[in-house]
Amino acid sequence: MQTNTVEQIAEVQRKYEELQQQLRAEAATAARKAEAAAMVAEQSRKYDELQLQLQLQQMMQMFQQSQKPPS
């Protein structure tokens, strides 16, 4: 009976270690996904900022052209 209990304890410890390994792997995956999402969000923000700058430049050019006297 004592041997059976020792074997059960060893099995529980093994399963516990497996679950901890799995949780660490899942946490690492989640961290990588979060980092990738943050990078995508930053790139999207930069793209939007560039688009706004381009629109502003175009509007400035249109305004400057409209201020020129007709030839």
Side-chain angles (χ1 to χ4, degrees):
M1 182 166 171
Q2 192 174 10
T3 304
N4 191 23
T5 302
V6 170
E7 288 173 357
Q8 286 177 341
I9 290 171
E11 179 66 14
V12 167
Q13 283 180 324
R14 185 187 65 74
K15 286 183 180 180
Y16 174 76
E17 289 170 6
E18 282 180 11
L19 286 173
Q20 278 206 323
Q21 250 182 355
Q22 183 180 350
L23 284 173
R24 280 192 288 271
E26 289 174 6
T29 299
R32 283 192 300 272
K33 285 181 180 179
E35 185 178 346
M39 288 174 63
V40 167
E42 177 65 13
Q43 291 299 319
S44 179
R45 185 194 65 75
K46 287 180 179 179
Y47 175 80
D48 291 345
E49 186 177 316
L50 288 172
Q51 287 293 100
L52 288 172
Q53 287 177 356
L54 180 59
Q55 286 178 358
L56 180 59
Q57 283 179 345
Q58 290 171 343
M59 291 174 70
M60 293 288 286
Q61 287 174 351
M62 289 172 57
F63 176 74
Q64 288 170 353
Q65 287 176 355
S66 71
Q67 297 301 309
K68 289 182 182 177
S71 307

